[in-house]
Amino acid sequence: MQIKAPRGTYDILPDEAVKWQWMEQVLRETAERFGYREIRTPMFEHTELFHRGVGESTDIVTKEMYTFLDKSQRSLTLRPEGTASCARALIEHSLYNGTLPIKWYYIGPMFRYDRPQTGRYRQFHQFGIEAFGSRSPYLDAEVLFLLVEILKGLGLPAYELHLNSVGCSQCREEYRRKLIEHITPVKDRLCADCQVRYLQNPLRVLDCKEKSCHQAIADHPTLIDSLCDDCRDHYTLVQKALRDNGIEFVHDDNLVRGLDYYTNTAFEIHIPGIGAQSAVGGGGRYDGLVESCGGPSLPGIGFALGLERLLLALDKYKGVPPAEKQVNVFVAVMQDHLEDRAAALLYRLRQQGIAADKDYNQRSSRAQMKLADKLGAKYVILLGEDEVKGGFVTVRDMKTKEQRKVDQEGLIPFLQERLDNC
Ligand code: HAM
């Protein structure tokens, strides 16, 4: 039986990888311009971190985690997201005692056991940012400016930013009560999942994908009407900062997000036309997360973008700039017994910073030229008996097809000068 990549995973082959490299460069540059620095956390964590951080009643924790016992019977989980790991790292290294806010970004694979489809995988990649240590609404605004700046940097023209406030723990408790009261009389009209979860987590009914649930609770009370004064003021200032800076958004009463740690500002970014999985990113405040992971009371806010979904959007709307060709110079060997000289020359070119390659399959001269062309070589160095005897090489300009003799000594500067002017 042929062994294939596990369901919901895939290979990124070199032609695709160049798109990823370009995209990752835009993400890194933009985050760094906003003062965020990279953090790398392990790909697996103690399972308890996600129970405490992401929340016991979430789909991620109840259904989607890759959890296993290691040889010492410890329960470990492949990270389903990055925020809880960042909170754990911040606590573990006592960084809350240093200068705040702490601003981090990360890029890497995440793992969720979900039904694979276009834009949804079991191993997928996120770019995320997290800022810990300030409740300022202007930090919320900064995070949203950064999100929009990234989409602009990638050249994605169409997106919808949905925004809501899910309040603090007090106003949310009040809202939960109201919502349960509202849902109870119509509970039989809910989908099977919501019938089970509405008592424990009634907010999830708001963002259920089933039409029947939406219809059943159509005139539900809104979160925004239950906010306390502090939370309302905070949300007002975030919205004002966005408007003042020309960032378009829609207030969305049904936006509650699928992870339990959110407080106050919550948002999602959708790109139309990329299929059912149109949410390319989401995030919000999580002022209680650090504490629930065992640290001090320290507010935070962040978001994550799904890189596969961003690529779907790039493929649909704009494409990715063509990648640099693989090599600049190709060494073509005219006689087999000169292979050792060609190998030495190739090594010398590479040591001098010139991207170069050669054939290793005893191709004919013509086939070597074809290979040079395929690899994108701008110059081919021809190495034959005459060249070796005369202490020179023949350099062929692949564009003009011109050939000229260049002595061995002067070869590197000759190539460097021409490549610099390409
Ligand atoms: P999330 O909404 O679960 O949030 O995921 C963020 C993004 O990751 C989604 O919008 C989507 O683009 C992508 N994504 C999620 N699951 C999959 C999947 N199975 N396949 C492909 N892409 C997927 C979080 O993960 C939060 N940690 C975001 C955050 C950071 N909140 C505050 N800080």
Side-chain angles (χ1 to χ4, degrees), residues 239-283:
Q239 293 178 87
K240 181 173 181 313
L242 294 181
R243 287 198 193 97
D244 288 350
N245 289 280
I247 308 255
E248 285 180 28
F249 64 92
V250 280
H251 165 77
D252 182 346
D253 280 324
N254 288 341
L255 186 123
V256 292
R257 307 276 299 135
L259 299 91
D260 277 356
Y261 48 61
Y262 291 110
T263 54
N264 295 100
T265 315
F267 53 90
E268 264 172 20
I269 196 122
H270 290 259
I271 296 197
I274 59 165
Q277 304 304 317
S278 65
V280 294

Side-chain angles (χ1 to χ4, degrees), residues 81 83 112 119 121 126 130 257 261-262 279-281 302-303 306:
E81 59 104 51
T83 314
R112 295 185 193 175
Y121 309 92
Q126 280 187 348
E130 313 293 350
R257 307 276 299 135
Y261 48 61
Y262 291 110
V280 294
F303 65 76

Side-chain angles (χ1 to χ4, degrees), residues 295-308:
S297 165
L298 193 77
I301 178 166
F303 65 76
L305 287 161
L307 300 193
E308 286 77 3

Side-chain angles (χ1 to χ4, degrees), residues 308-325:
E308 286 77 3
R309 294 186 193 176
L310 274 185
L311 265 184
L312 283 174
L314 281 167
D315 283 344
K316 177 166 170 69
Y317 287 105
K318 167 177 180 282
V320 166
E324 292 275 305
K325 288 288 188 179

Side-chain angles (χ1 to χ4, degrees), residues 35-47:
Y36 290 73
R37 298 177 68 208
E38 185 174 6
I39 177 167
R40 300 186 190 199
T41 61
M43 271 185 235
F44 57 86
E45 297 271 2
H46 290 289
T47 303

